[in-house]
């Protein structure tokens, strides 16, 4: 059984779910497989209409789902409302764009007749994390279903309830529950044709290896250690400072694309720290996620709290940030901190902290800061902050990241049309944008070369064509 506690009040049980064993996973995949021919045979307009009806039903339950998400994940209620709204906005974006992006393309000219179709894979296995569970389930299901796939989802046992409910409200989606064992049973199932995973490095490697052994293609959205680079001319208003604070501390820092390393020019470090601490005092209110005005809840587990405290304290100069409200001893609350004076090889700088502690690192020159920002195995996101947009874009182009934000970072910089994903060890494949749709189709071609069409000139049996 999964007994899901509220991380803000650990004596409160939010839900209890049975773990799906291997036979249950097999049955779920077989149901999804049985549904796929009929679903993929529907014209895309019919699939999109069905998805829109489901979206309306989910929207009708949005508040109930947001409260459930807040109670199981510890994320502030306003964030949970935003997450459900963004997931629905993405579903609508997919419904609008998929018919065109996935349409059959026909070329009929002097070189021959070429038809390019976008075919669904079949059953897609989705293994998702706990930190933005509804959105990260939707970024897989919406494009997969619109393209004509069916799916089996395994949410994280750390926040399985809202994501499971949203997934189950979509057509031809099966939901299984459990941890690594259930995930492995799912991704190694012979009827699974594509694996979509978001999560950490260790699970990502295990999933990629398991999928690879089955020759099942995968898309992997893994962790990040995003640098936020403030150029010497940075010109931040008080609102900008607040946005930068929340770029690191939203969801208690447990966001793949959080600003996880702050690089500030040495001569402006004092001024920066003062304004940053003042902004945190205004914007960062730590407390129970259901209390209005709270912007930072607990971390997800006792283990996560211990890990972040270990990373944040003891080396360097830790400056506690923000304000607190209510009884924080009831849950897994961690004081948010800005930590200065750390070496580049400090564990808080090198690892993905995934918690409310961010290192402040000073630099002297542009070459130096680009080199230090890029000195990571991870390459998910990054940001450049400058009063000069051209200069910011030029530096952004030198950063080794799949997504570079300018003058913002984290979710305020997201766009439904912009493909998101990592370079280096932050994974492969993309979510959002047209690339996120194309992840769930295989290209299939039918070709009649001009030479062999009726009246064609023919070609020697061993020849290559002159031109395409
Ligand atoms: P996690 O890797 O611990 O778990 C993710 C999912 O994988 C869960 O459903 C889990 O049960 C399952 N799992 C774990 N081990 C497995 C195994 N061996 N085989 C099969 N399934 C397995 O991650 P988490 O703690 O839920 O999420 C945090 C991580 O996710 C962070 O590293 C974060 O940066 C990353 N993340 C990345 C993105 C992105 O878009 N790149 C988005 C959100 C989170």
């Amino acid at each position: 059984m999964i007994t899901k506690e509220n991380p803000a009040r650990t004596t409160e049980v939010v839900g209890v779910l049975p773990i799906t064993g291997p036979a249950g996973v097999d049955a779920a995949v077989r149901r999804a497989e049985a549904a796929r021919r009929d679903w993929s045979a529907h014209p895309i307009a019919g699939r999109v209409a069905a998805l829109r009806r489901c979206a309306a039903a989910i929207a009708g339950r949005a508040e109930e789902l947001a409260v459930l998400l807040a109670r199981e994940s510890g994320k502030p209620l306003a964030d949970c409302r935003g997450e459900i709204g963004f997931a629905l906005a993405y579903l609508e974006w997919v419904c609008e764009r998929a018919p065109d992006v996935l349409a059959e393309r026909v070329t009929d000219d002097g070189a021959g007749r070429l038809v390019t179709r976008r075919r669904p894979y079949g059953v897609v296995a989705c293994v998702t994390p706990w930190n933005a569970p509804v959105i990260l389930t939707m970024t897989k299901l919406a494009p997969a279903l619109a393209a004509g796939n069916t799916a089996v989802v395994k949410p994280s046992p750390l926040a399985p309830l809202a994501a499971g409910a949203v997934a189950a409200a979509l057509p031809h989606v099966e939901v299984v529950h459990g941890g690594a064992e259930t995930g492995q049973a799912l991704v190694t199932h012979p009827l699974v044709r594509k694996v979509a995973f978001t999560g950490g490095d260790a699970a990502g490697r295990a999933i990629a290896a398991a999928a690879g052994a089955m020759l099942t293609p995968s898309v992997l959205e893994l962790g990040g250690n995003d640098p936020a680079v403030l150029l010497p001319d940075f010109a931040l208003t008080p609102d900008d400072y607040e946005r930068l604070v929340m770029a690191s501390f939203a969801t208690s820092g447990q966001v793949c694309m959080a600003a996880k390393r702050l690089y500030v020019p040495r001569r402006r470090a004092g001024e920066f720290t003062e304004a940053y601490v003042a902004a945190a005092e205004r914007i960062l209110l730590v407390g129970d996620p259901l209390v209005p005005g709270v912007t930072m809840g607990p971390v997800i587990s006792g283990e996560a709290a211990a890990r972040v405290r270990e990373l944040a304290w003891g080396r360097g100069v830790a400056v506690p940030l923000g304000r607190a409200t209510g009884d924080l001893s009831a849950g897994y609350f961690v004081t948010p901190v800005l930590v200065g004076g750390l070496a580049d090889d400090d564990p808080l700088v090198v690892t993905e902290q995934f918690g409310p502690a961010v290192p402040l690192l000073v630099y002297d020159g542009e070459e130096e800061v680009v080199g230090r920002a890029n000195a990571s195995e991870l390459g998910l996101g990054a940001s450049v902050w400058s009063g000069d947009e051209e200069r910011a874009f030029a530096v952004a182009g030198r950063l080794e990241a799949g997504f570079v934000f300018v003058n913002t970072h984290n979710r305020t910089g997201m766009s439904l049309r912009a493909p998101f994903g990592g370079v280096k060890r932050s994974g492969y494949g993309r979510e959002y944008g047209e690339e996120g749709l194309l992840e769930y189709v295989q290209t299939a071609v039918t070709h009649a070369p001009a030479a062999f069409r009726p009246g064609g000139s023919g070609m020697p049996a061993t020849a290559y064509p002159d031109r395409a």
Side-chain angles (χ1 to χ4, degrees), residues 128-131 136 154 184 197-200 203 221-223 256 352:
T128 54
W130 69 268
N131 67 328
L136 294 168
K154 192 207 77 65
Q184 284 290 322
F197 172 77
T198 301
E221 302 289 345
L222 307 181
C256 58
E352 182 187 33

Side-chain angles (χ1 to χ4, degrees), residues 4 23 47 88 91 98 106 136 180 198 297 307 348 356 378 406 434 463:
K4 181 55 213 162
R47 293 198 298 267
L88 288 171
L91 177 55
V106 181
L136 294 168
T198 301
R307 200 179 53 77
L348 183 61
L378 301 175
V406 171
E434 292 189 3

Side-chain angles (χ1 to χ4, degrees), residues 126-132 136 139-140 154-158 178-185 187 197-207 210 220-225 254-257 260 300 352 354 380 420-422 426-427 431-432:
C126 308
V127 179
T128 54
W130 69 268
N131 67 328
L136 294 168
T139 51
K140 297 162 184 59
K154 192 207 77 65
S156 165
L158 294 173
E181 226 170 280
T182 309
Q184 284 290 322
V187 301
F197 172 77
T198 301
D201 182 273
R205 286 171 195 264
I207 294 253
L220 296 188
E221 302 289 345
L222 307 181
N225 191 11
Q254 303 163 115
V255 180
C256 58
M257 56 175 165
K260 292 177 178 144
I300 191 67
E352 182 187 33
F354 219 61
L380 187 60
F420 182 85
S426 286
E431 296 195 318
Y432 299 104

Side-chain angles (χ1 to χ4, degrees), residues 126-166:
C126 308
V127 179
T128 54
W130 69 268
N131 67 328
V134 172
I135 282 186
L136 294 168
T137 302
M138 191 62 87
T139 51
K140 297 162 184 59
L141 292 180
L145 295 170
N149 302 278
T150 57
V152 182
V153 178
K154 192 207 77 65
S156 165
L158 294 173
L161 301 168
V166 168

